[in-house]
Amino acid sequence: MPGQVRTRFAPSPTGYMHIGNLRTALYAYLIAKKYDGKFLLRIEDTDQERYVEGAIDIIYKSLKLAGLKHDEGPDIGGPFGPYVQSQRKDIYMEYAKKLVDLGAAYYCFCSKERLAELKQGQEASGDTPKYDRYCLDLSRHEVQKKLDEGHPFVIRQKIPDVGTISFTDVVYGTITVNSNELDDQVLIKSDGLPTYNLANVVDDHLMRITHVVRGNEYLSSTPKYNLLYEAFGWEIPVYIHLPLILRPTGQKLSKRAGDPSFEDLVSMGYLPEAIVNYIALLGWSPGTTQEIFSLEELEEQFTIEGISKSPAIFDIKKLIWLNGEYIRILPLEDFNRLAMLYYKGAIKNENIDFMKLSKVLQLRTEVLSSIPENVDFIDNLPEYETSLYVHKKMKTDENVSLASLKTALPVLEELQTWDETVIHDALISLAGEMGIKNSQLLWPVRVALTGKEVSPGGAIEMASILGKSETIRRIKIGIEKLTRY
């Protein structure tokens, strides 16, 4: 691949990092790393009406959480700054005026009212709304007179009247459109700021971007961008348009519809590494059965050729599974550190050995946010029905359970040492003496200790974590419940 590969992530600061945005950033980053290139961050904030205070900080935070370190950007600088479009206003006007001189653009002084009437009339006639080039034939003298008089204006791109425009995309192949289907889009708005249509072309050229990675919603606009490149005599970059990400029901992901952003997923207890891994697979295939990739592995194995043109389905169940796999391979100390954020709100008992609890819980946790509901029995034994003691597979019912708890109680009371090994040996030996299956003893004990059908661990682990006195107290409660039954 000739020259240094340079990619960019160019988000608008509109409030949050949605999944599609993060995937665009990830793929742009991976392409740069794959070819030992540079990954740039550029803030496209020319649409001031959509600007959200604090959104730029969200972008920085999200990229950092995802591990996507940019080589140039607003916060770290670089040779092609500034990297915020609102700080480059004069640059765009200069190039827009050059397009006018080249005959590839023109001034338009039409009022909002005239444009609204034009659009209304076209829609009423069943025509596709399109500017009618009312100002195209204004003479230089007329244009200058209006400019001198201070008339508001925009600068529009002049699209060829006839012919076709073709471009090649790595993912979608060669695409051809008729030029008469295209509108003379606005390049400079009345406030002097550029539209995305001009700014992204000028910035990509000046920042020497070689590969443009973006969503396929920009496919229809790309012919217009190419006309700008050709008018300036600039080299056209490699286009890589990414497929849509859909819900399982077929609709596009949407924050308005309640679909989570990257930050939402992190706050819901998904690990950033798992999210990045999952998003990498939304539209890209490694060509193998491997599903778990570290960021370093993605940097090595990612290929542009592996990107699909078919829509990707965001399946939360698959993400939950993948997140569980990531949780299980964490060092126990790291899991305990993450879990402590959730323990604090759910457990007030300071005598609990949280590392011991984490050791049990880590194997059974898929999403960190599920931790509070899985440990809510530790401080207070929940109210439960004696029907919990009935378990066909464990071969228990209320009578079997009552007998097991009554027999286990004095054995546990006599233990001088309270740890898993001692508790295990005592209960397993007892089951043998009673001539019953281990499950017929352990299931009733676990129910008595947790009051739940599902708990982080078995009877022995729960007894060890709760401590001797609390274990004895809860078994007595279980015996009382079953006796009343």
Side-chain angles (χ1 to χ4, degrees):
M1 198 167 285
Q4 184 185 57
V5 169
R6 291 175 62 83
T7 66
R8 48 69 167 176
F9 175 51
S12 298
T14 55
Y16 71 102
M17 179 81 76
H18 61 70
I19 297 304
N21 254 354
L22 182 59
R23 185 187 62 174
T24 298
L26 175 61
Y27 285 13
Y29 169 87
L30 293 175
I31 289 168
K33 295 304 173 186
K34 176 74 174 181
Y35 299 105
D36 197 26
K38 298 291 184 183
F39 172 61
L40 284 66
L41 173 63
R42 184 173 74 224
I43 304 298
E44 298 194 338
D45 63 343
T46 56
D47 190 347
Q48 292 293 301
E49 291 182 1
R50 296 179 64 219
Y51 179 83
V52 174
E53 194 68 36
I56 294 178
D57 289 333
I58 291 175
I59 292 168
Y60 291 144
K61 180 182 176 183
S62 297
L63 290 178
K64 185 176 181 180
L65 268 176
L68 309 183
K69 186 177 180 182
H70 47 284
D71 299 294
E72 300 170 25
D75 52 338
I76 57 177
F80 301 103
Y83 293 89
V84 178
Q85 285 188 337
S86 59
Q87 299 172 14
R88 300 168 63 83
K89 181 177 177 179
D90 294 341
I91 296 174
Y92 307 121
M93 184 62 79
E94 174 193 340
Y95 280 98
K97 289 179 177 178
K98 186 174 181 180
L99 286 171
V100 173
D101 294 339
L102 292 168
Y106 58 96
Y107 287 93
C108 173
F109 299 93
C110 290
S111 66
K112 290 182 178 179
E113 291 75 20
R114 180 184 183 277
L115 294 173
E117 287 178 12
L118 174 64
K119 181 180 179 181
Q120 187 176 8
Q122 290 172 332
E123 288 177 340
S125 303
D127 297 326
T128 302
K130 188 177 179 182
Y131 182 60
D132 62 358
R133 293 186 161 181
Y134 182 80
C135 294
L136 175 61
D137 295 323
L138 291 175
S139 67
R140 284 187 175 230
H141 174 73
E142 290 173 306
V143 169
Q144 192 58 52
K145 183 172 182 296
K146 287 182 177 293
L147 292 175
D148 292 341
E149 292 172 353
H151 286 272
F153 68 88
V154 300
I155 296 179
R156 291 181 179 273
Q157 182 178 7
K158 181 183 177 184
I159 303 293
D161 297 312
V162 295
T164 59
I165 308 166
S166 296
F167 72 95
T168 299
D169 178 80
V170 173
V171 178
Y172 290 87
T174 299
I175 296 174
T176 301
V177 299
N178 293 316
S179 57
N180 60 14
E181 296 175 358
L182 304 178
D183 190 17
D184 285 2
Q185 65 183 353
V186 173
L187 301 177
I188 296 289
K189 296 178 289 186
S190 57
D191 61 4
L193 286 170
T195 61
Y196 173 85
N197 306 310
L198 175 67
N200 89 90
V201 170
V202 170
D203 286 345
D204 285 345
H205 171 73
L206 295 180
M207 295 179 185
R208 301 183 184 177
I209 302 302
T210 60
H211 293 65
V212 171
V213 184
R214 58 187 173 215
N216 69 1
E217 64 268 26
Y218 292 102
L219 275 172
S220 60
S221 301
T222 301
K224 300 178 185 180
Y225 306 150
N226 274 14
L227 289 174
L228 295 177
Y229 279 105
E230 290 168 359
F232 285 124
W234 295 342
E235 184 177 351
I236 295 172
V238 176
Y239 291 121
I240 304 165
H241 287 88
L242 308 179
L244 290 171
I245 301 177
L246 306 177
R247 295 180 186 170
T249 52
Q251 296 106 334
K252 286 179 64 176
L253 288 183
S254 167
K255 179 70 172 175
R256 289 180 182 175
D259 294 312
S261 67
F262 175 58
E263 269 198 315
D264 290 337
L265 289 172
V266 172
S267 67
M268 289 161 62
Y270 293 89
L271 301 182
E273 300 87 349
I275 302 170
V276 169
N277 186 159
Y278 181 65
I279 288 176
L281 300 173
L282 289 177
W284 171 75
S285 171
T288 66
T289 57
Q290 183 176 348
E291 293 186 286
I292 298 178
F293 294 87
S294 66
L295 187 58
E296 292 74 20
E297 288 175 317
L298 286 171
E299 290 174 13
E300 293 174 5
Q301 298 187 39
F302 188 85
T303 61
I304 298 173
E305 294 75 20
I307 300 174
S308 169
K309 67 175 70 172
S310 301
I313 304 299
F314 185 86
D315 182 353
I316 194 69
K317 291 181 180 177
K318 182 67 177 291
L319 176 57
I320 289 172
W321 169 82
L322 189 62
N323 196 68
E325 294 297 305
Y326 269 82
I327 284 176
R328 280 182 277 282
I329 61 177
L330 283 173
L332 178 59
E333 293 76 11
D334 290 350
F335 175 78
N336 186 65
R337 176 176 50 80
L338 294 171
M340 284 302 297
L341 301 174
Y342 297 89
Y343 292 154
K344 286 178 181 178
I347 302 173
K348 305 303 180 188
N349 186 343
E350 297 179 355
N351 296 320
I352 295 297
D353 185 333
F354 289 106
M355 189 67 80
K356 187 183 291 186
L357 177 60
S358 289
K359 185 178 180 181
V360 173
L361 198 61
Q362 182 175 8
L363 299 175
R364 296 167 174 83
T365 299
E366 291 188 308
V367 182
L368 294 173
S369 57
S370 68
I371 289 175
E373 67 188 62
N374 288 330
V375 300
D376 58 1
F377 66 91
I378 289 180
D379 274 3
N380 299 293
L381 179 65
E383 284 295 325
Y384 65 93
E385 300 295 325
T386 56
S387 58
L388 271 184
Y389 287 102
V390 180
H391 198 297
K392 186 176 180 180
K393 185 178 178 181
M394 301 297 179
K395 300 187 182 304
T396 63
D397 57 21
E398 287 90 344
N399 293 325
V400 169
S401 296
L402 178 58
S404 292
L405 291 183
K406 281 185 171 181
T407 310
L409 180 61
V411 171
L412 293 173
E413 286 177 323
E414 291 174 5
L415 293 181
Q416 299 303 308
T417 303
W418 194 262
D419 63 35
E420 281 189 31
T421 301
V422 173
I423 299 168
H424 171 276
D425 292 347
L427 291 180
I428 298 304
S429 175
L430 178 60
E433 292 171 13
M434 294 174 67
I436 62 174
K437 292 180 176 295
N438 293 342
S439 61
Q440 291 177 294
L441 176 63
L442 298 180
W443 179 261
V445 171
R446 194 196 65 74
V447 170
L449 297 184
T450 67
K452 296 166 76 82
E453 187 173 1
V454 178
S455 61
I460 295 164
E461 295 161 320
M462 294 300 93
S464 174
I465 289 168
L466 287 169
K468 182 176 181 177
S469 62
E470 183 64 13
T471 295
I472 299 303
R473 187 182 77 83
R474 293 189 182 195
I475 287 179
K476 288 179 178 179
I477 291 173
I479 291 172
E480 184 182 348
K481 276 180 173 286
L482 288 167
T483 301
R484 287 203 308 267
Y485 169 82

